[in-house]
Amino acid sequence: MAKDLTWREAIDKVLGAAGTPLHYKEITDKIIASRLRSNLGATPAATVNAQISASIKHDDASPYVRVGKGTFTLAQRPVMGTSPDKEKLTPTTDASDEDEEQYEIVSSFGMFWRREAIQWVATPQLLGMQQLGAIPVDFNKQLGIYLLYDGREVIYIGRTTDRPLGRRLFEHTSDRMGARWDRFSWFGLRPVKDTGLLGEMPATYDAAKMIPALEAILIEALEPRQNRKRGDDLSAVEYIQKEDPEIQKRKSKAFVQAVMEKM
């Protein structure tokens, strides 16, 4: 098996082969698809973003150019000029500093996760991955807000502050909502470390980031038809649900038992 490239080597290879600028999530997908790295950690997309942003900020001759929020190209390529921003009434933050941060307001989120893919106990495993092949992260102890769905209809919105996400969802399996929901979405505030563990919530938040984050959550959660863009200012990467291994074990056991009964 070929030796893993460093993150920088893999990024350079992908951007060098690309004909157009790429978002850091697209760069990550291409690194994984081309098998340039086997060791991805739990937050590969965030790692790619941090590698490029740190180079732009600290290297005098960085090979990268930022052409949009989270979108990059190699420095030798011509970059189309951008129109100046209109005057804003709310404070602004330096784009380089903002993009270098791995987590802003919402650190992670999951959309339309299946209730049936979780083994419901008091501390259930809520497993998700940034990309296929990344280390799974257990969001049982995540804090933030969540939505319960009956099909595609939002039937309940809740928050997790005094009790973590896993506990709150477990309680909804036996309360008045118990028979009414089959999917859920969540938006978490605790950052995800590259090791797959959850970090602590920041003590304060930058006011300049609060409004776009709140807007992005509403767009992502409600999907209004007139909002052509999804939550572009939701800087966190979406996590794909991974079925609890205990569910698969239970299915396998039931299958074996059914076969034995037919013999």
Side-chain angles (χ1 to χ4, degrees):
M1 182 177 177
K3 182 181 177 181
D4 276 6
L5 298 183
T6 66
W7 280 112
R8 286 286 294 271
E9 289 171 344
I11 292 166
D12 291 349
K13 189 175 183 67
V14 167
L15 285 178
T20 58
L22 297 174
H23 190 273
Y24 66 83
K25 205 178 169 190
E26 294 177 289
I27 298 171
T28 309
D29 289 339
K30 290 181 182 296
I31 289 173
I32 296 172
S34 300
R35 299 182 180 180
L36 301 180
R37 284 186 62 86
S38 59
N39 182 13
L40 301 176
T43 59
T47 299
V48 168
N49 181 38
Q51 290 275 337
I52 299 175
S53 297
S55 173
I56 292 174
K57 183 175 182 180
H58 300 294
D59 298 346
D60 292 335
S62 174
Y64 313 115
V65 174
R66 179 182 287 105
V67 298
K69 187 173 178 62
T71 303
F72 306 94
T73 189
L74 293 178
Q76 64 265 30
R77 290 209 175 123
V79 179
M80 298 296 292
T82 56
S83 57
D85 291 337
K86 294 180 180 179
E87 183 179 355
K88 296 182 180 180
L89 298 178
T90 55
T92 59
T93 56
D94 182 80
S96 177
D97 291 339
E98 181 179 350
D99 284 344
E100 185 178 351
E101 294 178 6
Q102 183 170 339
Y103 306 103
E104 296 185 19
I105 305 300
V106 178
S107 70
S108 51
F109 69 99
M111 295 299 299
F112 297 105
W113 282 23
R114 295 178 295 119
R115 173 176 172 171
E116 65 182 17
I118 296 169
Q119 179 80 11
W120 290 107
V121 293
T123 55
Q125 289 194 89
L126 307 181
L127 301 176
M129 300 183 296
Q130 265 197 3
Q131 275 95 3
L132 294 176
I135 297 173
V137 179
D138 186 357
F139 291 101
N140 166 55
K141 294 184 179 180
Q142 185 58 282
L143 302 175
I145 63 173
Y146 62 93
L147 300 86
L148 303 182
Y149 301 88
D150 180 4
R152 295 283 296 184
E153 179 187 3
V154 178
I155 60 171
Y156 186 85
I157 299 175
R159 61 183 175 179
T160 64
T161 52
D162 56 335
R163 298 189 301 287
L165 178 62
R167 181 70 188 186
R168 292 289 287 129
L169 291 172
F170 170 70
E171 291 169 355
H172 287 310
T173 63
S174 58
D175 63 10
R176 66 183 180 85
M177 307 299 299
R180 299 185 58 190
W181 62 281
D182 55 5
R183 289 181 180 268
F184 65 97
S185 296
W186 57 272
F187 299 85
L189 302 179
R190 293 183 63 182
V192 184
K193 299 179 181 179
D194 187 55
T195 57
L197 299 177
L198 297 181
E200 297 300 320
M201 287 175 53
T204 59
Y205 290 101
D206 189 334
K209 300 174 184 176
M210 288 294 294
I211 293 175
L214 292 172
E215 178 194 36
I217 290 173
L218 290 172
I219 293 173
E220 196 76 34
L222 302 179
E223 297 182 336
R225 287 181 294 175
Q226 295 303 315
N227 283 90
R228 296 181 180 179
K229 293 183 178 180
R230 300 180 72 195
D232 287 347
D233 283 308
L234 190 60
S235 61
V237 177
E238 180 175 1
Y239 281 77
I240 307 164
Q241 186 180 23
K242 177 179 171 60
E243 186 176 67
D244 189 327
E246 291 302 317
I247 297 291
Q248 192 59 48
K249 290 180 183 178
R250 192 169 62 186
K251 290 179 180 178
S252 299
K253 184 177 179 180
F255 175 76
V256 172
Q257 184 175 355
V259 171
M260 294 295 291
E261 290 174 353
K262 291 180 179 180
M263 293 179 63

